[in-house]
Amino acid sequence: MSALLLLLLSLACMLYPGQAQTCRISSVELIAGEATEAAIVAGLIRLRFTLEVIKARNDPSMDAFAVLYRDGFRSTQTSPQSFYGLRTTILPLDGGAFKALDNSFGGSPTFEVWFQPALGYDILEPERIDVEWVAGGVFLNAVSCYSTMIRWDNVLTINPTNITLTGDTELTEYDIANRVGMTWVLDLTGTTFVGTWGTNEQNMIRDSVNTIGIVNQPRGFVAVRSEIIALANVRRMSDYRLEITLLNTGIYDMTGVDEEVLSVCVPNTLLVNGGFASGCVQVAQHVIIRRTQLLAMPPADMFEGVLKTTGFQVLLQLTNDQFKSQVELDAQLPLVRSGWVSNTLAADQPHGWMASRHALLQAVNVTTNTSVGLSNSGLWVAVAPYAAYDLTSGTEVITVQIPNNLLQGRQGNIGFVHGSFTFTVTATRLLLVGAHLRETELFAGAPPPSVALQLVGDKWKNFTQTNSTNTTDAILAGLQSNGCMASAGGCAGWNMRRSTIIPSPETQVTLSTDGSTVHVALRPDMGFDIVADETLSALIPNKFLVDGGEGGSVLSENTLDITATAAFITSDVDLSDKVLRDGGATIRLNVTGAALVSPFGAAQKALLRAAWVADPAPTQWDTHLNELMPDSVIRQDSDHEIVIGPLPAVSAYDLPPDRPERVTLRLPNVLLHDSCTACATPYVATTIPLRIEPYVPIAANLSGTFIDAPTEAKIRQGGSVIQIQMTGDSWAWMSPTKVSELTAQFTSDASEPRGWNALRSQVITYSSISGDLDAGFLFITLAPAAAYDITQNETVSVILTPALTRSQLYQKDLMVGTFTIVAMSATVTQTQTAEGNFAKEGVEININLIGAHFKPTLTKADLDAVQQGIVATPDFPPDGWNQRRQFILTGVGWWQVIEGGRRLRLLGLGDVGSRFDIVETTTLIVTVPPQVLVEGSPLPILATPNLTIMPSKSTLSASFNMAVASEVSIQQATDILLGTLMTITITVANDRLLAVPFTREQIQNVFDGITSNMDWPNGWNQQ
């Protein structure tokens, strides 16, 4: 309709251009209500429009034009909660929102707009309402209007309901705990608070105060809100003002954040015409509560000497709180100390921070932190020197925190003030500086050896400060090795010879100019002699250090090695008298810690030959040494190696079977550079001898009833025998321990959970052993192991170790042999057949056993188990294999054990009198039950492969005995030409009919299957 009116208006303007007049709204009055959000919600606003030239409609058609009046209203906001968004609610078409005041014919110069209630109205900023109408579409007399549009800007500006928050809006944890009289004032504009003011309303105001974006504050503002805002302290001062007085509480505690920001949203239900009950008016101002924090300049990391001799001070500063008074803090020094904690336990550092904390922390002084502006906001903590403080090694990290109970604003709160700092205390380090030493350097003095002791984090006391002799003696005593401590046994190492190596400490020990390093010059000592490497370390009493304090010692964190001169002899093959008879072996001499003399001539080779020592005497080695080692086979390969070989063949070298020889070498010092001619021991002895074994041919073989045919069944049954015959030696005495050693040498190549390796200690026991051990015969009668069960064959290897022989002269393991245990298994001969074969001649199923036997006679229970062990998948009930197998596998001669128990032949006789039927290929899975086996079995045996049964393709054929089939012959059921009774014969191929007589239902099914291609009302199909 509005489009039509616009068109008419446009035509009118074109027809009467010379009669145009100024049509307008002359005034707009707010005659009821206020320009507030609440007035819109309550529907209290009424507007009166006065017109010039044009007139408002006053006939019944005004309702029809109401939509045009309404659509002329515009708004500066477009949200769903604004005037524009709720325009259809505020100005409904059927609610009398538009009213003409003059009912005379020809229209009214004034009309009113009555706003209707809109509970959903909700604005955050002022909203301006304008109107703009198409004159001809809304008003009368608009044909002569100069302008087609009638508008009035800023008909109304709606102010939102607003609440401001003033008062104590910036607080601290200290304020919450201590201040009295903290107040919040809420001032309301745009409406009034509800008149009824009780506990419910007070509680709603309290609950409207929440934190922004912070969760998991177990003692934050929301958690203790009821302690801070008592209901009685939420007061309605006037229609437009609320006042909240806050209570102080020590329970409040902020954790994990620096401040809490509080937001207030006053529920609409507490405001007159507040809108939807679920809404609220958000207060723009927030309250900020700032956290108490520790500020400090932590001390620099330090060495332990600082704590021993000087100590230090640190200033702890607070923000947003104050320390208790000096008197209170003096009384709470133990609480102060509790905030200074080390990362090491007293047990780990017996003289460290935790053990010394009481002596280190003895005084605190409260001061004013001028940067914060609070009295008592600073605390000077003096860490006093404590000479007994001592770290054994490494570092400890001290963490400093302030317990809450030391603060005025947090009394009663457990835990610590937010913020902490750490500093690290490092133990004084003692380093041994210098190259590793060799034995030859200490007795030859070339090059001149020396050792330096360097301190890190401290300095050596000036020798004149104490007593140079005492200091140097302490250094001498502190340089120790891990070698022998007594002279017994010819010990001549560092600990026994250091007073000779350092005979004049006062001249040999010198201090560096910076006081950090002591240099120790070592003198040659021809009596120094070690047979193994030694490690040199230093342990110096702290009192010889500038900041060493009292008691304790500092241990060097590194060591220096003193490498002993050593000789080693090796052979490229295991030596035996046969090897030496055959020749070709090579012996190598290697020297460490010193160099061999060079050239290595005839004189040196003679000394080398004379250095060999063999036992037990008399020895073949001594007898044939010159033959074994002529000069021609001795050569020097390097400064550290002599090669002897290949050795010539010595045919006369022959050892008795029970007399192996041991050969060692005492290498003369004169064959070494820097040799110690005055040493107590004039040679370097090899510690690992060469062993020359008598060659004894030894052999062993396997036999016995088990070895003849090793099967899984025999192990389960037990009683079979393994025989091992040894030649060239005899068996050791078979104690229970020795039998365990023997059993361990029977190892399988498989590791099945119930196989040989898992159960061999049950198969071979102490009671299993018998035989003539002296003569080399060992019999093992296998014990029954019913749990033995393998899924595939496993091969067992048998090893003869020297420990199992009487003489133990043969030094290598001997492979005796192997045997393969045949796993019980079953196979199915026929793998495929057809469903129809069961209905004809029957199907033969042959189950063959490997490693086991069927019982010759099977009971009914056995046969039932055989039937249940043949399962079809998929199955096709109700006439599939699993339902009909007891009818298929039945009758005389349906089972037969043949081939000495190795085969079970089953004959499926065709399910006579039944109805075996499958619609798809099915698979028979054959499992042999343990009860039908002579040997038994822990588990059924799964036969492979499976037997597949394919469904038969049955066909039907029908024959008729009538020559001519006519309507009459059908009526008479007689062949007209032959005069015989008419019959139909149905023949089934690849299947069979069910046994007769048929039931009535089956007969009906046959009739229903004979159909005509024509469907006459009284024809074949119906009759």
Side-chain angles (χ1 to χ4, degrees):
M1 179 181 293
S2 59
L4 178 59
L5 291 173
L6 289 173
L7 178 59
L8 293 173
L9 175 62
S10 300
L11 292 173
C13 291
M14 289 187 290
L15 292 173
Y16 303 100
Q19 302 179 17
Q21 303 181 62
T22 301
C23 304
R24 66 188 185 92
I25 301 170
S26 61
S27 66
V28 178
E29 300 175 73
L30 177 63
I31 60 174
E34 298 178 339
T36 65
E37 178 182 347
I40 295 288
V41 170
L44 302 178
I45 294 179
R46 296 183 182 180
L47 299 174
R48 177 176 293 162
F49 291 83
T50 301
L51 308 172
E52 287 186 10
V53 180
I54 53 177
K55 294 184 178 182
R57 299 177 183 275
N58 59 2
D59 54 27
S61 66
M62 187 168 186
D63 288 340
F65 282 84
V67 65
L68 298 178
Y69 281 98
R70 182 186 67 193
D71 289 348
F73 279 84
R74 302 284 189 268
S75 167
T76 55
Q77 298 184 28
T78 58
S79 71
Q81 295 80 30
S82 67
F83 176 88
Y84 186 83
L86 294 171
R87 190 169 53 176
T88 57
T89 302
I90 297 171
L91 301 174
L93 299 182
D94 56 354
F98 302 97
K99 303 178 183 296
L101 300 183
D102 184 353
N103 293 321
S104 61
F105 182 79
S108 172
T110 60
F111 70 95
E112 294 180 359
V113 179
W114 293 13
F115 286 14
Q116 304 302 307
L119 288 177
Y121 186 71
D122 186 15
I123 57 175
L124 300 178
E125 296 179 356
E127 181 177 25
R128 195 184 78 185
I129 300 174
D130 305 323
V131 295
E132 184 178 35
W133 288 298
V134 178
V138 178
F139 303 110
L140 299 174
N141 299 339
V143 174
S144 61
C145 291
Y146 177 79
S147 173
T148 61
M149 304 304 295
I150 305 297
R151 64 180 295 131
W152 186 280
D153 292 336
N154 200 7
V155 171
L156 200 63
T157 297
I158 308 298
N159 292 310
T161 300
N162 184 59
I163 302 176
T164 59
L165 171 63
T166 57
D168 298 304
T169 57
E170 293 194 10
L171 300 170
T172 67
E173 282 186 296
Y174 174 83
D175 294 331
I176 298 296
N178 294 275
R179 278 183 59 182
V180 176
M182 296 175 287
T183 303
W184 295 337
V185 176
L186 298 174
D187 289 312
L188 172 65
T189 58
T191 186
T192 62
F193 291 108
V194 294
T196 302
W197 199 256
T199 301
N200 183 58
E201 288 72 25
Q202 292 168 324
N203 194 62
M204 292 174 68
I205 287 293
R206 181 171 67 186
D207 290 347
S208 71
V209 184
N210 290 282
T211 55
I212 298 177
I214 299 177
V215 295
N216 299 327
Q217 286 287 315
R219 297 171 68 180
F221 184 88
V222 173
V224 300
R225 185 168 51 193
S226 60
E227 299 287 334
I228 299 174
I229 303 176
L231 295 183
N233 289 342
V234 181
R235 297 182 297 276
R236 185 181 186 275
M237 309 303 293
S238 69
D239 287 348
Y240 302 99
R241 172 171 288 189
L242 299 180
E243 186 174 279
I244 303 172
T245 302
L246 307 182
L247 300 177
N248 57 45
T249 176
I251 298 176
Y252 179 74
D253 187 21
M254 200 186 308
T255 58
V257 294
D258 292 336
E259 62 183 24
E260 279 195 304
V261 180
L262 307 183
S263 172
V264 182
C265 196
V266 178
N268 287 342
T269 53
L270 298 182
L271 308 177
V272 174
N273 299 324
F276 282 131
S278 60
C280 64
V281 176
Q282 181 66 55
V283 178
Q285 296 78 21
H286 295 152
V287 176
I288 299 176
I289 306 176
R290 292 185 172 86
R291 184 180 193 176
T292 299
Q293 297 192 61
L294 166 64
L295 302 177
M297 289 295 292
D301 294 340
M302 63 193 71
F303 284 96
E304 61 178 316
V306 174
L307 296 182
K308 291 181 179 183
T309 58
T310 62
F312 62 91
Q313 285 190 333
V314 63
L315 176 61
L316 310 180
Q317 303 178 80
L318 293 176
T319 62
N320 306 321
D321 210 332
Q322 303 175 51
F323 286 103
K324 292 181 179 178
S325 68
Q326 182 68 54
V327 174
E328 292 174 298
L329 291 179
D330 288 343
Q332 289 188 295
L333 269 177
L335 188 59
V336 174
R337 296 187 188 107
S338 71
W340 295 61
V341 181
S342 170
N343 66 332
T344 61
L345 302 176
D348 299 326
Q349 292 286 358
H351 301 287
W353 181 271
M354 299 308 292
S356 309
R357 183 171 60 177
H358 179 83
L360 290 165
L361 296 173
Q362 295 187 349
V364 295
N365 292 288
V366 178
T367 185
T368 299
N369 181 359
T370 56
S371 64
V372 178
L374 296 175
S375 62
N376 291 3
S377 62
L379 185 69
W380 279 104
V381 179
V383 179
Y386 183 50
Y389 177 81
D390 184 49
L391 293 182
T392 55
S393 63
T395 62
E396 59 179 346
V397 178
I398 314 303
T399 300
V400 180
Q401 293 179 286
I402 299 177
N404 284 325
N405 275 329
L406 297 179
L407 276 58
Q408 295 183 27
R410 298 172 68 82
Q411 299 186 49
N413 282 5
I414 60 173
F416 297 91
V417 176
H418 174 62
S420 64
F421 64 87
T422 63
F423 62 92
T424 301
V425 182
T426 302
T428 300
R429 299 172 60 200
L430 176 59
L431 304 176
L432 292 181
V433 182
H436 292 296
L437 302 171
R438 290 184 292 114
E439 177 184 4
T440 54
E441 291 177 318
L442 291 176
F443 63 66
S450 66
V451 175
L453 287 74
Q454 180 182 9
L455 290 173
V456 179
D458 209 334
K459 296 182 183 298
W460 298 95
K461 282 185 178 178
N462 190 302
F463 288 177
T464 59
Q465 226 178 316
T466 55
N467 181 297
S468 60
T469 302
N470 290 341
T471 305
T472 54
D473 287 348
I475 294 172
L476 174 62
L479 279 171
Q480 299 180 0
S481 83
N482 64 340
C484 55
M485 299 297 294
S487 59
C491 175
W494 175 272
N495 294 332
M496 297 305 300
R497 304 295 299 179
R498 61 184 164 189
S499 59
T500 306
I501 298 171
I502 313 174
S504 304
E506 65 277 3
T507 59
Q508 289 178 255
V509 180
T510 58
L511 182 66
S512 65
T513 54
D514 64 358
S516 66
T517 306
V518 166
H519 297 277
V520 182
L522 307 180
R523 292 184 181 177
D525 176 17
M526 298 303 290
F528 186 83
D529 186 21
I530 55 177
V531 296
D533 294 350
E534 290 189 351
T535 299
L536 198 63
S537 62
L539 183 67
I540 306 297
N542 285 328
K543 66 181 181 179
F544 295 104
L545 279 57
V546 171
D547 295 329
E550 298 175 0
S553 301
V554 56
L555 175 68
S556 61
E557 63 182 57
N558 66 321
T559 59
L560 293 180
D561 293 334
I562 304 176
T563 304
T565 302
F568 305 92
I569 48 175
T570 57
S571 173
D572 62 343
V573 295
D574 292 335
L575 295 179
S576 68
D577 55 354
K578 183 177 186 302
V579 170
L580 297 181
R581 286 197 299 270
D582 295 341
T586 297
I587 297 173
R588 295 179 181 274
L589 165 64
N590 292 94
V591 177
T592 60
L596 292 160
V597 296
S598 180
F600 207 84
Q604 288 75 27
K605 294 177 181 180
L607 289 173
L608 179 62
R609 274 193 297 270
W612 293 97
V613 178
D615 65 82
T619 65
Q620 291 285 303
W621 180 270
D622 291 335
T623 301
H624 300 288
L625 181 58
N626 290 332
E627 299 175 69
L628 287 169
M629 296 186 186
D631 286 358
S632 59
V633 299
I634 301 174
R635 69 179 186 276
Q636 185 177 18
D637 258 16
S638 69
D639 288 344
H640 299 279
E641 184 177 53
I642 298 292
V643 178
I644 307 170
L647 300 182
V650 180
S651 59
Y653 206 112
D654 188 24
L655 296 176
D658 58 349
R659 284 181 63 84
E661 294 180 342
R662 289 166 24 100
V663 179
T664 58
L665 180 68
R666 295 176 178 176
L667 182 67
N669 287 345
V670 295
L671 295 181
L672 302 172
H673 280 299
D674 303 323
S675 60
C676 179
T677 56
C679 286
T681 305
Y683 56 81
V684 177
T686 58
T687 56
I688 302 175
L690 292 177
R691 185 180 177 93
I692 304 172
E693 301 289 345
Y695 175 72
V696 179
I698 187 171
N701 61 76
L702 294 172
S703 62
T705 56
F706 180 76
I707 301 300
D708 293 342
T711 64
E712 177 183 357
K714 283 186 177 181
I715 293 179
R716 282 206 288 266
Q717 290 176 323
S720 297
V721 175
I722 298 175
Q723 176 182 324
I724 307 178
Q725 183 179 358
M726 184 194 309
T727 58
D729 208 332
S730 56
W731 290 98
W733 177 63
M734 286 292 156
S735 65
T737 302
K738 193 63 70 174
V739 172
S740 297
E741 294 178 17
L742 172 68
T743 304
Q745 302 311 313
F746 285 71
T747 56
S748 170
D749 61 349
S751 293
E752 296 201 34
R754 301 174 70 175
W756 177 270
N757 289 343
L759 300 178
R760 61 187 170 188
S761 60
Q762 299 179 25
V763 177
I764 303 176
T765 67
Y766 179 67
S767 301
S768 300
I769 305 302
S770 62
D772 187 349
L773 302 183
D774 292 337
F777 291 97
L778 178 71
F779 299 102
I780 303 171
T781 303
L782 304 185
Y788 183 77
D789 182 50
I790 54 177
T791 58
Q792 58 186 3
N793 298 349
E794 61 177 341
T795 299
V796 177
S797 301
V798 182
I799 301 294
L800 176 62
T801 65
L804 296 173
T805 65
R806 183 74 56 84
S807 69
Q808 298 189 5
L809 293 177
Y810 191 80
Q811 293 302 302
K812 290 186 176 180
D813 292 345
L814 174 68
M815 169 62 76
V816 178
T818 62
F819 56 85
T820 299
I821 303 172
V822 178
M824 278 188 178
S825 60
T827 62
V828 176
T829 302
Q830 189 170 2
T831 61
Q832 183 173 308
T833 188
E835 171 192 3
N837 293 338
F838 287 90
K840 296 178 181 178
E841 68 278 2
V843 176
E844 186 175 294
I845 304 173
N846 288 285
I847 306 173
N848 309 294
L849 289 180
I850 300 172
H853 301 81
F854 288 105
K855 294 192 294 190
T857 302
L858 302 180
T859 65
K860 183 179 184 305
D862 295 336
L863 295 173
D864 288 344
V866 170
Q867 289 181 347
Q868 295 299 318
I870 306 176
V871 179
T873 180
D875 193 21
F876 302 99
D879 300 317
W881 173 271
N882 295 341
Q883 292 75 39
R884 309 306 303 172
R885 59 188 165 195
Q886 70 269 31
F887 301 106
I888 298 173
L889 299 174
T890 188
V892 178
W894 73 270
W895 68 274
Q896 185 178 10
V897 176
I898 59 176
E899 297 183 11
R902 297 288 188 185
R903 175 176 294 187
L904 175 64
R905 189 187 69 167
L906 306 177
L907 182 61
L909 296 179
D911 194 7
V912 177
S914 186
R915 52 181 185 276
F916 175 51
D917 183 39
I918 57 176
V919 297
E920 295 179 11
T921 299
T922 189
T923 299
L924 297 188
I925 301 173
V926 179
T927 304
V928 180
Q931 68 192 72
V932 303
L933 303 178
V934 173
E935 297 82 1
S937 175
L939 299 170
I941 301 175
L942 179 65
T944 57
N946 299 324
L947 174 58
T948 300
I949 304 176
M950 296 177 295
S952 298
K953 296 182 179 179
S954 303
T955 59
L956 296 176
S957 61
S959 60
F960 302 85
N961 70 339
M962 64 189 74
V964 178
S966 64
E967 182 178 2
V968 175
S969 64
I970 296 298
Q971 292 171 346
Q972 298 178 359
T974 304
D975 189 308
I976 297 175
L977 298 179
L978 302 177
T980 57
L981 188 65
M982 182 181 70
T983 61
I984 302 174
T985 302
I986 301 174
T987 303
V988 179
N990 294 327
D991 210 331
R992 65 188 188 284
L993 297 174
L994 298 178
V996 293
F998 285 168
T999 64
R1000 179 179 298 275
E1001 178 184 1
Q1002 290 170 327
I1003 294 172
Q1004 184 62 49
N1005 288 339
V1006 172
F1007 289 164
D1008 290 343
I1010 306 174
T1011 60
S1012 169
N1013 64 339
M1014 301 297 291
D1015 199 15
W1016 301 108
N1018 293 306
W1020 175 270
N1021 291 343
Q1022 281 70 37
Q1023 297 299 320

